[in-house]
Amino acid sequence: MMDEKQPRLWLRTDPFTIGALQVAPHPKLSLHYLKKVGTYAKSKGKVGFPRLTYSVWRHIACNKLNISDDEAQLYYDGFELLSPSPSDERKKRQVLSSGGDADGSQSRLLSVDTLQFLLYLFIQQVHKISLRSSLVAGQEWPLRPRSPELDGRAASPSSASPSKGLDESTYMAFMLSHLTDVLTLLAESDAFSSSATDLYLSKEAVTALSLFIEGAVDKDRNVQSLINIARLQQAHARSGFSKITQAFSFRLFEDWIRANLVPSPFGMAACVMSGQRLNWPTTGGDADTGKRGKVASNASRAPKSHKLIFISQVCKQTLAKSSNTLTSSRIRVHRCHSSYIYLLSPMKSVNIDKCRHSTIVLGPVETTVHMHSCEHVTLICVAGRVSVSSSSFCTLHLLTPLRPLILGGNDTIVLAPYHTHYPQLGDHMTSVGLTAIPNQWDKPFIVGPDHQVDQPVFSLLPPHGFNMFAVPFEMEGTTKEIPGGLPHEYADALSAKQSEIRKFWGMARDSGLDKDQRRQFQELVENKFQIWLNENGLARQLVDLASGSLPKSSVSGSDSQ
């Protein structure tokens, strides 16, 4: 058992879940080329190092790496989602991403940490699949390589991953397999060494690595950055830190990382295994028979910045929640089907996996919403970025400042404008730095070969098929309309439908029907409406909502859970 006084290091999952695109990386994002990018950035002076401006990165990407302009911006925007920044910085990013920077003034102001950005580009390799290694190993299907060190650790019950569906073991395997390359990307030659191969890591390099690795020395109670732990007096001998040079020995630092890297105590796997079960109320379906979906959270034991919530197997139910626990959490919605899920609080990130025939309504999400392996899901959200992969027959109603990402394996994805609101929506958007303008819901970026002009994998919802969506809960707040309004063609289509409804009821009123005829007409309309509800799968939700078993505190925000 590891000495309690020894540091425990683990990976921060945000760079992988929020930053790494779930698609094969550009071939030029390899160690060889990224070392050249670092060298070139340093040669550009203050606009390249220690902070890299967007204009310099765009020049490098387009003219040195042969990356398209759109893809260069894609990576830059993705990294900025990882970096906590005040709302004014987010607004600058949104202006740039929406094409509102004709004179380049905003791009000259935007900059990112150069070393951290290089690391971010390198970890795009986490989703790279090696066909050659799979062929040599005789695998029927190509798989991502695993680290022998991690496989050895998996034999220990204390470190085995508790769920095949969680990706943390993949991220740790990647880091262990590529740790030498990661450190090489940051390392510098020791000018005072007799050997040209002697390398060292500066404090700035280890600080950059802190974006991906953190830890603790006090039974995980006080989470610290990697640089702070590595500079502790008791860690100097093992981490290779020299007070004289204020730098780290490459070899000793790498060995120290490998010896102390463990699964995260605040990761999704730990949340599923030992998190607190939340008794969030649900209505309908299996909830009436005592079978509820599983909701677990680590909020009772994790720092506020590490809150996770795992929602799984909500089946034929309506779940609605707005609470302090939900606020600023990272959410995973997993294997839910035939359900209506309302999460009406500002959140950090949301991953939706393997859900079917469901409607999911989200409060504003600061960074990313990613949908994977879903079928017949309607997603309604405001988010920093939205991406979808390996999904089919899904409709996404979006308000997002960045272009939606259509990744690989999709079929029949419909994009539509955001079409709902709830009273606290405006305040929640402000709290995560999102604004109503720009909204790039209709300008998706296609990553991969799936989309063809004659066989598109996505389409825009036609205006005649557009309807508003009402959040059916009472809440306190000031928002009374859709932020930013509707695109004019959709607003016109709604007006035309409302005009037809008024015309219909006017005809009914002026038809001269007697009392019995009016009763028969009313029954006919109600029967037709019921048939429409059943055909569109909406009848059950109305029954669930009418049951009244969802307490007001569940969506008012007054519930502590």
Side-chain angles (χ1 to χ4, degrees):
M1 181 176 179
M2 187 177 294
D3 186 346
E4 292 180 357
K5 295 182 180 180
Q6 283 292 98
R8 291 164 57 88
L9 306 176
W10 57 80
L11 295 181
R12 298 181 66 246
T13 56
D14 280 357
F16 296 95
T17 57
I18 296 175
L21 300 178
Q22 297 192 21
V23 68
H26 192 281
K28 292 293 182 69
L29 298 183
S30 63
L31 176 64
H32 172 74
Y33 288 103
L34 292 179
K35 286 286 287 183
K36 290 187 174 182
V37 171
T39 301
Y40 183 84
K42 290 179 180 179
S43 72
K44 300 300 291 183
K46 292 183 178 180
V47 295
F49 190 86
R51 296 191 64 83
L52 179 68
T53 61
Y54 178 74
S55 57
V56 172
W57 159 243
R58 182 180 178 184
H59 172 76
I60 294 173
C62 298
N63 299 308
K64 307 293 184 182
L65 302 178
N66 293 323
I67 293 177
S68 69
D69 192 7
D70 286 341
E71 195 169 354
Q73 184 170 307
L74 173 71
Y75 288 122
Y76 202 83
D77 290 339
F79 177 78
E80 285 195 319
L81 289 173
L82 287 175
S83 307
S85 58
S87 58
D88 57 340
E89 287 297 322
R90 294 195 184 101
K91 291 176 182 177
K92 291 177 185 177
R93 179 187 70 213
Q94 293 170 9
V95 169
L96 174 62
S97 301
S98 64
D101 186 35
D103 61 356
S105 59
Q106 293 292 338
S107 64
R108 286 191 292 271
L109 294 174
L110 288 175
S111 66
V112 295
D113 184 281
T114 306
L115 295 179
Q116 288 187 348
F117 186 61
L118 290 175
L119 290 174
Y120 162 78
L121 294 175
F122 183 82
I123 67 164
Q124 302 302 319
Q125 303 287 331
V126 73
H127 293 296
K128 181 178 181 179
I129 295 176
S130 174
L131 298 178
R132 179 179 179 182
S133 60
S134 300
L135 182 63
V136 171
Q139 297 167 342
E140 183 177 2
W141 297 101
L143 300 172
R144 296 189 186 96
R146 289 185 58 83
S147 166
E149 294 182 46
L150 188 63
D151 289 336
R153 295 181 189 191
S156 170
S158 63
S159 61
S161 175
S163 173
K164 294 180 181 179
L166 302 176
D167 298 323
E168 291 163 5
S169 61
T170 300
Y171 306 148
M172 192 166 174
F174 173 83
M175 183 58 71
L176 288 170
S177 296
H178 296 82
L179 183 58
T180 302
D181 289 345
V182 168
L183 298 181
T184 299
L185 185 59
L186 303 172
E188 300 179 42
S189 299
D190 191 345
F192 299 99
S193 173
S194 58
S195 173
T197 60
D198 286 347
L199 301 174
Y200 73 93
L201 296 163
S202 66
K203 288 191 298 183
E204 292 74 20
V206 177
T207 299
L209 194 58
S210 297
L211 178 68
F212 301 92
I213 300 176
E214 63 186 7
V217 292
D218 184 24
K219 296 183 180 179
D220 308 329
R221 292 174 183 169
N222 297 313
V223 178
Q224 300 184 53
S225 65
L226 176 65
I227 181 64
N228 287 342
I229 296 175
R231 294 180 63 189
L232 290 174
Q233 182 67 37
Q234 63 265 35
H236 286 181
R238 292 185 175 90
S239 67
F241 180 69
S242 169
K243 289 185 177 180
I244 299 175
T245 63
Q246 292 291 299
F248 296 83
S249 162
F250 184 100
R251 179 182 59 81
L252 291 177
F253 187 79
E254 179 181 1
D255 291 343
W256 180 71
I257 292 287
R258 292 186 183 277
N260 293 283
L261 196 64
V262 299
S264 172
F266 306 121
M268 194 62 72
C271 177
V272 173
M273 287 291 290
S274 57
Q276 177 186 6
R277 180 72 177 266
L278 301 181
N279 293 318
W280 286 359
T282 58
T283 64
D286 294 337
D288 296 334
T289 63
K291 295 182 179 179
R292 291 181 175 178
K294 301 174 182 178
V295 182
S297 173
N298 66 357
S300 62
R301 56 184 296 268
K304 290 184 178 180
S305 59
H306 291 66
K307 287 195 301 182
L308 298 175
I309 297 178
F310 184 76
I311 303 171
S312 181
Q313 300 177 35
V314 178
C315 303
K316 299 181 180 179
Q317 300 169 40
T318 295
L319 183 155
K321 195 66 182 175
S322 177
S323 70
N324 293 331
T325 298
L326 196 57
T327 299
S328 300
S329 290
R330 294 153 179 81
I331 313 296
R332 184 158 188 170
V333 183
H334 181 67
R335 290 190 181 278
C336 298
H337 71 81
S338 305
S339 293
Y340 295 85
I341 298 174
Y342 300 82
L343 304 177
L344 305 179
S345 291
M347 294 164 284
K348 183 71 173 180
S349 65
V350 177
N351 282 279
I352 304 170
D353 300 323
K354 300 178 181 179
C355 294
R356 297 179 290 111
H357 299 281
S358 296
T359 296
I360 301 175
V361 185
L362 302 177
V365 180
E366 180 180 350
T367 57
T368 62
V369 175
H370 180 65
M371 177 186 290
H372 178 72
S373 293
C374 293
E375 297 178 5
H376 298 280
V377 170
T378 297
L379 172 66
I380 305 170
C381 71
V382 180
R385 172 183 278 171
V386 179
S387 59
V388 56
S389 63
S390 303
S391 297
S392 56
F393 304 103
C394 294
T395 301
L396 284 63
H397 290 265
L398 307 178
L399 197 170
T400 176
L402 301 180
R403 297 171 64 182
L405 302 184
I406 308 294
L407 305 178
N410 294 300
D411 182 32
T412 317
I413 303 298
V414 178
L415 301 178
Y418 189 73
H419 65 334
T420 192
H421 62 87
Y422 60 92
Q424 296 180 18
L425 177 59
D427 292 338
H428 289 171
M429 289 177 62
T430 299
S431 70
V432 297
L434 292 174
T435 58
I437 299 173
N439 182 9
Q440 304 216 64
W441 68 271
D442 57 343
K443 301 177 180 63
F445 184 64
I446 313 299
V447 184
D450 293 344
H451 180 79
Q452 304 294 331
V453 175
D454 56 341
Q455 293 181 324
V457 298
F458 85 94
S459 62
L460 301 183
L461 181 70
H464 65 78
F466 178 78
N467 291 292
M468 294 288 287
F469 184 92
V471 175
F473 306 107
E474 293 183 1
M475 304 173 67
E476 295 182 357
T478 58
T479 302
K480 298 181 180 179
E481 58 185 16
I482 298 172
L486 291 172
H488 66 85
E489 61 269 31
Y490 291 89
D492 292 345
L494 278 181
S495 296
K497 287 183 179 181
Q498 292 167 354
S499 177
E500 289 294 322
I501 292 173
R502 289 192 296 269
K503 181 179 178 181
F504 172 80
W505 287 114
M507 291 174 59
R509 183 183 61 252
D510 301 334
S511 61
L513 299 177
D514 59 30
K515 185 176 181 180
D516 289 339
Q517 290 174 327
R518 285 180 179 276
R519 179 180 54 79
Q520 293 176 3
F521 179 73
Q522 183 72 22
E523 291 176 354
L524 177 63
V525 171
E526 290 178 355
N527 288 336
K528 291 290 186 180
F529 180 61
Q530 191 64 45
I531 292 173
W532 178 82
L533 288 175
N534 291 328
E535 289 178 346
N536 290 274
L538 300 174
R540 184 180 56 76
Q541 189 190 21
L542 291 181
V543 173
D544 292 351
L545 294 171
S547 69
S549 60
L550 283 173
K552 184 176 180 180
S553 62
S554 181
V555 291
S556 67
S558 60
D559 192 346
S560 60
Q561 285 192 349

